[in-house]
Amino acid sequence: MSVSKLIGLLEKAEEYIGQHSLRDVKVLAYLYASEHDIVYCQSIIRDLDLSAVSVTRSLKLLSDRDMITLSMDTEDTRKKSVSLTDKGNALKLHVIQIMGNTNGS
């Protein structure tokens, strides 16, 4: 991927979620790559090898920016699930479009 396309991706992400860290983008990318509509926080922590505190911070930022919805499991309140909102899915479509335009770059 060219540097200009990478900058374009980061600018698009910033347009949607404001100031962000690389960790926030990693969490969002993980959600985009997931084959499931709902992802559990523990999966993000485990698969990205991040601390629970840092994932919680990223999820709060993404939730505050209306990119994701956080829900508690009704049977086990220790389990929290994450799902993309319409706004989160809209950014995903932009990312896919930009990534699709990287052929030959």
Side-chain angles (χ1 to χ4, degrees):
M1 175 185 298
S2 71
V3 173
S4 63
K5 296 227 185 230
L6 182 58
I7 290 169
L9 280 172
L10 292 173
E11 287 174 346
K12 186 55 77 173
E14 191 167 35
E15 189 179 307
Y16 275 79
I17 62 176
Q19 284 298 105
H20 58 278
S21 69
L22 181 57
R23 178 194 64 234
D24 303 329
V25 175
K26 278 178 155 178
V27 170
L28 199 54
Y30 179 86
L31 294 171
Y32 289 166
S34 175
E35 297 175 359
H36 307 287
D37 290 335
I38 296 174
V39 175
Y40 287 98
C41 293
Q42 281 304 114
S43 298
I44 299 169
I45 293 165
R46 180 191 65 236
D47 294 345
L48 294 181
D49 194 27
L50 295 171
S51 72
V53 171
S54 64
V55 169
T56 299
R57 283 184 187 143
S58 290
L59 293 175
K60 174 149 180 26
L61 175 119
L62 294 170
S63 178
D64 289 349
R65 301 288 194 281
D66 194 33
M67 300 296 290
I68 62 164
T69 301
L70 293 167
S71 304
M72 281 193 192
D73 190 281
T74 54
E75 294 182 22
D76 184 353
T77 56
R78 295 170 296 172
K79 288 175 89 173
K80 291 183 184 141
S81 62
V82 183
S83 56
L84 292 169
T85 62
D86 289 343
K87 186 176 177 182
N89 277 311
L91 177 57
K92 179 180 180 178
L93 293 175
H94 282 292
V95 169
I96 290 169
Q97 180 181 18
I98 291 170
M99 294 299 292
N101 292 332
T102 62
N103 296 337
S105 298

